[in-house]
Every structure is written in structure tokens, then in C-alpha cells.
Amino acid sequence: FNGASIDYNTTKTITLDPFTNRAPYQWAPMAPMFNNALSDLYARQTKLQQVKKDGDLHISGDITGYDQTNKAISADGYSSMVQLKITVKVVFVNNNNHEEDFDKSFSAQREYDATQQLSAVQEELVGQIIDEITEQIFNATVANW
């Protein structure tokens, strides 16, 4: 059971536009990682054919936030935990039922020890966050949750 509730008699294709990283802070591999994860999720968990344009379902958007925030302060007054958060704006169009269309943001975050450099944990944390966000998008678009 994959959670998808798609009527394959009427919905056969999906168009996934590449998401662009428009966050003020940039990490070059993030957009390709996100685009690959989103495409792979729909390929693995649905029978929808991915097409370049005019899909029955159409997903587009941008990565709008990539932020670090101090989350905890140690006894010596320095940060002890840092939160890394990614926000993605998604525009979803269901060409078979426009009542399901939406334009909203999804986000997820992970914390890491402030004694670590972001560069040391970035790839792993970004991968985890992307997995969570793409799952949120999947659920909002085809799982009807």
C-alpha cells in the first residue's frame, strides 16, 4: 500500500517542473537533489507517466527557504543546537479536478550539534529534509490526506 488514491482511468500523466532554488542562502546540490527525489517518489509509488508538459497533474514551484537558526543555548551562553530548515513553495494543478488545485508552502527541519560545521552534516540533513518534504507534497497531491 503506497497511500496514493489516484483514479488511473482519468489520471494517467504528471508533469513535474524543475524546482529552482530561490532561497537567499544557496547550496548548489540542493535543487537537483530535491528534483530527483520528487521525481523518484512519483515513479516508485504511482503508475503515472511523467511527461514534460500538459500532464493530468502538474507540480511546479521553488525552494524558497534554506535557513539556520540557533535553537538552544548552553550554560556558557553559546549556541548548542542549530536548526536547519528548508521551505518549498508548491503550485499543484489537477487538470481533471481544479477543486484540488493549491498554492502553498511545505517545510521541514532537522537539528544538529552546534559544535559541528554545517558542511559536515549538510548532505545528510538536507537529504532527510528533502525526503520529508517530498512525502508531504506526495500526500497533499495524490494521497488526499
Side-chain angles (χ1 to χ4, degrees), residues 7 17 33 49 62 76 86 88-89 95 113 122 141 144:
D7 180 355
D17 287 350
M33 285 174 68
Q49 178 184 356
D62 298 303
D76 60 7
I86 297 174
V88 178
K89 181 182 186 303
N95 288 307
D113 191 303
Q122 188 166 230
T141 56
N144 291 330

Side-chain angles (χ1 to χ4, degrees), residues 125-144:
L125 295 179
V126 168
Q128 292 172 7
I129 293 169
I130 285 173
D131 287 347
E132 185 175 330
I133 292 173
T134 55
E135 191 69 34
Q136 291 173 19
I137 294 167
F138 181 87
N139 289 339
T141 56
V142 297
N144 291 330

Side-chain angles (χ1 to χ4, degrees), residues 94 96-102:
N94 182 337
N96 296 326
N97 181 2
H98 287 290
E99 290 180 12
E100 294 182 357
D101 295 358
F102 64 76

Side-chain angles (χ1 to χ4, degrees), residues 17-52:
D17 287 350
F19 281 60
T20 303
N21 187 352
R22 299 197 187 285
Y25 179 77
Q26 298 281 315
W27 184 55
M30 185 167 43
M33 285 174 68
F34 179 84
N35 290 317
N36 290 337
L38 189 64
S39 177
D40 289 350
L41 181 61
Y42 282 90
R44 273 193 328 269
Q45 296 197 14
T46 73
K47 295 187 282 183
L48 295 171
Q49 178 184 356
Q50 294 185 24
V51 295
K52 292 206 180 285

Side-chain angles (χ1 to χ4, degrees), residues 25 66-72 79-85 109-122 124-126 128-129:
Y25 179 77
Y66 184 67
D67 306 297
Q68 293 183 79
T69 309
N70 291 329
K71 293 303 290 180
S79 175
S80 61
M81 292 298 291
V82 178
Q83 180 184 73
L84 182 64
K85 179 178 180 181
Q109 61 275 331
R110 293 291 184 276
E111 292 181 359
Y112 64 96
D113 191 303
T115 61
Q116 295 178 295
Q117 293 291 318
L118 175 60
S119 58
V121 296
Q122 188 166 230
E124 178 183 350
L125 295 179
V126 168
Q128 292 172 7
I129 293 169

